[in-house]
Amino acid sequence: MDRIMETCRLPAHPPTSSSTPNTFTKDDGLKAFLPSGFSTMEEYLVCLKSFLSGCEPVTDLMIVDYFTTNSWETRMPQSWREAFECPQGKLSSLDLMRLVSLGHLRDFKEPAAGTLGDPLAFDGSGIQDWPESLKDFVKMVKALSINRTLDPDYAKFKDTLDIHLIPGMSPKKLHEVEILSGLMASTAKEHSIGSVIDLGAGQGYLSRVLAFQHQLCVLGVDSNTIQTCGAQTTQKRTEKLFVNKSKLKNSSGKGRNSRPTTKQQNRRSATTDAAASATAAGMPAETETGTEAVAGIEPAAPAQTTTATAATETTASAVTPTLDASTATTEVCPKSRTAGMRSRSSSPTGSSGSTGLCKRSSRTKKPKVKKDKTATAEIIIPSSGLTGCGSPATTTSAMNRAPDCNRDGAAKPTTTAANDPSLAATPGSNFQLQHITHHITAATLPTLLKEHFPRKPKPQPHQDATAAEHINGGEAAVQECPDEDVEGRWTLCGLHACGDLTSNMIKLYLESSATCLFSVGCCYHWITERYDKAGNIAISDGSHGFPLSAAFNHHKCHLGEHAKMIACQSPERWLEYQKETEDAIHGHYFRALLHKLMVERGLYPGPPAIAPVLGRMGKHRLKGFPHYLTTAVNRLRLPADKITPEDAQAAYDQFLDRDLYRIGILWALRTMLGPLFEGMILLDRATFLYENIIDDGVEGGDMKKAAVGGGGKKASVQLIAGFDVVESPRNMILVALKD
C-alpha cells in the first residue's frame, strides 16, 4: 500500500499552473486545452493515467464501509497516517478546507489554523516534515487540473437579464443563464444565427431569455412531459408580462429611452420588488442543497422540479374551451374600467365586489339576438407539429365577424413584431419560443427544423432570360422552389445536459447543419463507458458517452463508477461554505457508524455486500444519532429492537473524536481528485470536436495546428471557464463553430 501511493511523483520537468483560459487558438491547437507545461495530449494522458492509477486506493474508497473495512489502515500509507495524526501535523477544519479548495498544505511546523493559546512546541523529535509523497500528491493534483478560473471577459454579461425573466431562478441558475445567454446572443449576432434548439430545456429558463430578451427563434426540447408542461405554463405568464410591457410603451407614445412617468416608475419598482422576493424565496426552480454541492453527498438522480400543480394547470388550460373577449354583449364604460382597476388593486386576490360595469350600462340591456347554433359551435383544431402536455388542441369560436375587429368592423390594433421590434411573431404566438416533449435523434432532427424554424428559399442558378421565357411559354422562370427550402443558420445548446445527453448532443451537432454548439455538462455518474477496467470493449454499438475522441480511445481510457461520482464533487466550495462542509463530513460519519452497527448486530451483511441506499437523511442528523439510526432502520424495514438508542449514543461518543477526523481526511483526499476526472471528460469531448471539425483524420497524439477546416470554412473549438466555479461548479462551457 505504501509503495503504491508513494509512486505518485512529479515528472522531471513539473508543469506549473496557468491563468490563461483553456480556449482554442489557431496557433496552439489542442495544447490550448491542456494545463501549462504539457505540449501534447499524448504526454498529458500518459502522465495523468500514471498518477491516477496510483491513487486507486483513495478513488475506490466507499466511505460507508469505513469501519467495516478498516479504511484508515488499508487505504492510507503509514507515513501519511503518522503525519496527519502527530501533534504537529493535525489539521483543523480550516486547514482541511484550504487543502481541498486551494491545494494548500500548511507548513508542518506551524500550529493548526484556528487553535487557541501558544503555538505547539516543536522539539525536533519525531517527524520533521510532511512525507514527500504527500506533498507530491498535492502538487500533482494542481499541476494536472485544467484551468477553471472565471474568464473576466464574461463579467460584462452579469446583471443584464430583464426583470420579467428572473422569477423562479435560483442565484446559481441566474448566474448561469445571464452569462450563457449573453455569450450565445453575441455569437448569434456575429455569425447571423437566428434559431436555437435547447436540448434538455427543463423549465425553460435559458430558452425564455434567448427568445424574449434576445429575439432568437427557440425550440426547447425535453424528454420529460412534466418539465415541458412547466415550461409552457411559465411561458404563458411571461408572454403576458411582455405584451403588457409593450402595450404600455406603445400607449405612452415615447421611445425606449424616454424618461418614464411617475406611474410607470411605480409599476417598475413594484415589479422589481416582486421579482427580487421571488428569487430570494427560490420559486419552483432547481432543487439544490448546499451540503450536496459542497462536500461530498454523492449525486443522486435529479428529482422532478415541476410540481404536479403546474402540470395540472397547463393541461387544464390546454383543454378548457375559451370564449373570445370580442363576443361579450355588455358594454363597458370608461368610468367602470377605472373603478374596476381600483377594486382589483385593493383586493389581494385580484377580485372584488365590483364587476367593473357602469350602473347605467348594466341596467340598460341590449335586446338579445338569436344566433345560429352552428355559428357558435366550437371548432377543435389539432395543433401542428410536436407539442408537450399530450399535444393539446386549440379551441376557437367561429363568429360572424372576425375576433380581431371592433364593433364597427375596423381592425383592432395588435402588438406584434410588426409594430414592436422587441416581439417576434411565430405561428400561434407573438414570441419565437416553443416547448415540446421529444426524444431528438439525427433522423428526427430535419423534421423538427422544417416544422419549427423559419426557412429561406434555396438559391437557384441564374438562367438566361430569353431561354427562360422560351421554356416557360413566354413567362419568366421561377427562381425559388418551395420544395427545396433550406433551414437558416441555427445553434444547438444544452445547459447542464445530464450524462450521455451531452455526448449525444455533440454527435448530433457533428451530423447536423448546426453552425454553433454551446454545451455545459453535468451528472457525470450517468455516463456510459466503452471500455471496462481491463481495457476490453463493453459497449460496441457506438452509444457510449466516454471516450469519444481518437486520442482517448487510443489509450482505452476508463473511469469507473467511483471516479465518475468523484467528478461531480466541488472542491472549490469547501472553503466558501465551511459550515455546510463540516455538516457533510459529519453526515459521512453518521452513515459509516450506522453501517458498522447494522453489520455487528446482524441486520445487514458486511463487505463485499453493497451497503443499502437510505436516500436523503440530512434533516434527521439534526436530531442526533439515535434518531438518525431509528429513522434508517424503519426506512429499511429492519427489526427496531436490535439497537437501542442508548447503544447508538454510546457508539457515537466512543468513535467521534478519532474517526470523525479520519473520515474527513479520507474524504478530502478523495474530493481533491474530482477536477482531474472531470477534466478527462471535458478534454475528451473537446478533443472529439477538434478531431472532427478542425483536424479531420487525426490519429493519436499527432495533432495539426490549424483553425480552418476543409473548403476554407472557419471552424473553432473552445473550452471556456464561463461561470464562477464556486457559484456553479460545472462551470466549463464547450463551444464549437463550423461556419
Side-chain angles (χ1 to χ4, degrees):
M1 180 63 197
D2 290 337
R3 181 183 59 82
I4 294 177
M5 290 302 296
E6 295 192 11
T7 57
C8 303
R9 300 283 185 177
L10 283 168
H13 301 284
T16 57
S17 60
S18 171
S19 59
T20 304
N22 296 100
T23 58
F24 172 81
T25 61
K26 76 174 186 177
D27 295 325
D28 289 337
L30 281 174
K31 182 180 177 181
F33 299 139
L34 304 176
S36 177
F38 294 97
S39 57
T40 65
M41 182 65 73
E42 177 73 14
E43 178 188 2
Y44 175 75
L45 285 178
V46 169
C47 185
L48 180 64
K49 288 191 65 177
S50 175
F51 174 72
L52 291 177
S53 64
C55 299
E56 285 184 1
V58 175
T59 302
D60 296 338
L61 167 69
M62 290 290 291
I63 209 68
V64 69
D65 292 324
Y66 167 80
F67 287 105
T68 56
T69 60
N70 193 18
S71 297
W72 182 253
E73 302 288 340
T74 59
R75 301 279 176 176
M76 286 274 284
Q78 182 179 356
S79 60
W80 293 24
R81 298 196 306 268
E82 292 174 352
F84 279 125
E85 293 197 312
C86 75
Q88 295 81 19
K90 193 100 172 177
L91 298 182
S92 68
S93 295
L94 186 57
D95 288 331
L96 193 62
M97 295 171 195
R98 287 175 177 169
L99 173 62
V100 175
S101 294
L102 307 176
H104 172 66
L105 191 61
R106 69 171 177 81
D107 192 320
F108 191 79
K109 299 179 182 180
E110 291 179 358
T115 56
L116 301 177
D118 296 333
L120 295 173
F122 185 70
D123 57 6
S125 61
I127 301 175
Q128 300 296 316
D129 201 353
W130 298 107
E132 287 298 322
S133 60
L134 177 57
K135 291 191 289 186
D136 285 349
F137 172 85
V138 177
K139 292 177 183 178
M140 284 292 289
V141 167
K142 295 178 65 176
L144 292 171
S145 299
I146 62 175
N147 179 49
R148 295 161 60 89
T149 304
L150 175 64
D151 191 328
D153 291 344
Y154 302 109
K156 61 185 178 183
F157 298 125
K158 291 183 66 65
D159 303 323
T160 57
L161 291 192
D162 189 294
I163 59 174
H164 298 87
L165 298 169
I166 293 177
M169 296 189 195
S170 67
K172 173 178 175 291
K173 180 63 69 176
L174 175 61
H175 173 72
E176 296 163 351
V177 169
E178 64 184 1
I179 292 180
L180 184 57
S181 63
L183 177 61
M184 292 181 63
S186 62
T187 304
K189 182 177 180 181
E190 179 181 355
H191 296 279
S192 302
I193 297 172
S195 304
V196 177
I197 291 183
D198 184 4
L199 281 186
Q203 295 291 301
Y205 298 113
L206 177 62
S207 300
R208 284 192 293 276
V209 173
L210 293 173
F212 289 100
Q213 182 162 330
H214 298 295
Q215 289 83 52
L216 293 171
C217 180
V218 183
L219 176 63
V221 182
D222 201 281
S223 61
N224 190 309
T225 304
I226 296 178
Q227 296 281 19
T228 301
C229 289
Q232 290 173 340
T233 301
T234 308
Q235 178 184 344
K236 292 177 182 178
R237 293 196 296 262
T238 306
E239 284 183 357
K240 292 179 181 179
L241 291 173
F242 272 77
V243 168
N244 292 336
K245 173 184 175 182
S246 180
K247 288 181 178 179
L248 180 63
K249 182 187 69 175
N250 292 338
S251 63
S252 65
K254 299 181 180 180
R256 184 181 297 273
N257 297 323
S258 301
R259 183 180 180 87
T261 63
T262 303
K263 182 180 293 186
Q264 291 173 343
Q265 289 177 338
N266 293 338
R267 289 178 179 175
R268 292 180 184 178
S269 177
T271 305
T272 305
D273 295 341
S277 301
T279 305
M283 296 294 288
E286 58 193 354
T287 303
E288 238 182 72
T289 59
T291 302
E292 177 181 0
V294 174
I297 302 300
E298 296 288 16
Q304 300 294 346
T305 57
T306 307
T307 61
T309 305
T312 305
E313 176 185 348
T314 307
T315 306
S317 62
V319 300
T320 303
T322 56
L323 184 65
D324 194 281
S326 61
T327 61
T329 57
T330 305
E331 186 177 359
V332 182
C333 72
K335 291 184 179 180
S336 66
R337 291 193 184 98
T338 305
M341 289 176 61
R342 293 197 194 100
S343 300
R344 287 192 296 271
S345 62
S346 61
S347 173
T349 61
S351 60
S352 63
S354 173
T355 62
L357 301 178
C358 174
K359 292 182 179 179
R360 172 176 54 81
S361 61
S362 61
R363 287 195 305 266
T364 306
K365 297 182 179 180
K366 292 184 178 181
K368 295 182 179 180
V369 180
K370 293 184 179 180
K371 299 178 182 179
D372 186 3
K373 292 183 180 180
T374 59
T376 58
E378 293 180 342
I379 303 174
I380 306 299
I381 304 176
S383 59
S384 61
L386 299 172
T387 59
C389 305
S391 300
T394 303
T395 305
T396 61
S397 298
M399 308 302 295
N400 291 329
R401 61 179 174 85
D404 290 332
C405 295
N406 292 322
R407 294 182 179 279
D408 57 0
K412 292 182 179 179
T414 58
T415 305
T416 63
N419 53 33
D420 186 356
S422 67
L423 305 182
T426 54
S429 172
N430 281 337
F431 304 95
Q432 297 182 339
L433 174 61
Q434 188 171 7
H435 287 278
I436 64 173
T437 300
H438 183 69
H439 182 71
I440 192 169
T441 64
T444 61
L445 180 59
T447 302
L448 292 180
L449 294 173
K450 185 176 181 180
E451 291 181 351
H452 298 283
F453 283 165
R455 299 176 67 80
K456 59 182 181 181
K458 183 177 181 180
Q460 300 294 321
H462 178 71
Q463 286 183 309
D464 181 73
T466 305
E469 291 180 359
H470 176 73
I471 294 173
N472 293 279
E475 297 181 358
V478 179
Q479 298 293 326
E480 297 178 358
C481 179
D483 294 336
E484 297 184 4
D485 284 356
V486 296
E487 71 272 2
R489 298 165 67 83
W490 59 283
T491 290
L492 187 63
C493 76
L495 176 56
H496 292 160
C498 298
D500 283 348
L501 179 57
T502 298
S503 305
N504 293 333
M505 183 190 309
I506 294 173
K507 297 174 185 177
L508 184 64
Y509 168 73
L510 294 174
E511 296 174 4
S512 70
S513 61
T515 302
C516 285
L517 170 72
F518 292 85
S519 172
V520 182
C522 71
C523 301
Y524 301 128
H525 55 293
W526 283 353
I527 294 177
T528 57
E529 298 191 66
R530 182 182 185 185
Y531 301 100
D532 59 19
K533 189 174 182 178
N536 301 316
I537 295 179
I539 300 177
S540 58
D541 60 358
S543 62
H544 59 277
F546 179 88
L548 300 175
S549 65
F552 280 69
N553 273 282
H554 176 72
H555 287 273
K556 298 183 178 180
C557 291
H558 170 77
L559 294 170
E561 297 303 319
H562 297 292
K564 289 185 289 187
M565 300 289 274
I566 296 173
C568 300
Q569 297 301 315
S570 310
E572 296 85 1
R573 284 191 158 197
W574 276 47
L575 191 59
E576 188 73 18
Y577 297 92
Q578 297 182 19
K579 185 179 184 306
E580 290 83 355
T581 299
E582 292 177 347
D583 290 344
I585 295 175
H586 216 105
H588 292 311
Y589 173 68
F590 270 50
R591 184 64 186 89
L593 184 58
L594 170 66
H595 192 56
K596 166 184 168 63
L597 295 178
M598 289 196 304
V599 172
E600 289 178 347
R601 304 300 171 92
L603 297 178
Y604 208 84
I610 300 176
V613 177
L614 290 179
R616 298 188 181 276
M617 296 280 288
K619 64 180 181 180
H620 299 289
R621 293 202 309 267
L622 302 176
K623 299 181 181 180
F625 184 68
H627 175 79
Y628 178 92
L629 184 142
T630 301
T631 303
V633 168
N634 291 337
R635 184 174 293 184
L636 296 174
R637 299 182 179 180
L638 299 175
D641 58 346
K642 294 289 185 178
I643 309 174
T644 65
E646 293 76 16
D647 292 341
Q649 187 63 46
Y652 174 85
D653 296 335
Q654 177 183 354
F655 300 105
L656 178 64
D657 292 337
R658 184 192 69 182
D659 292 290
L660 178 62
Y661 173 75
R662 290 180 173 181
I663 286 175
I665 295 293
L666 285 170
W667 194 260
L669 297 176
R670 190 175 188 265
T671 303
M672 289 176 68
L673 298 174
L676 303 188
F677 292 118
E678 182 178 16
M680 287 184 67
I681 297 171
L682 295 174
L683 288 176
D684 173 56
R685 293 169 175 175
T687 305
F688 181 57
L689 285 167
Y690 182 96
E691 293 169 352
N692 282 274
I693 70 176
I694 296 177
D695 202 21
D696 192 16
V698 69
E699 294 183 2
D702 183 17
M703 305 300 177
K704 299 177 183 178
K705 298 179 180 180
V708 180
K713 294 184 178 180
K714 296 181 180 179
S716 65
V717 180
Q718 294 178 298
L719 193 56
I720 302 171
F723 309 143
D724 181 83
V725 70
V726 175
E727 187 73 28
S728 177
R730 308 282 80 80
N731 73 319
M732 302 301 291
I733 307 174
L734 183 58
V735 183
L737 170 68
K738 45 186 176 77
D739 195 355

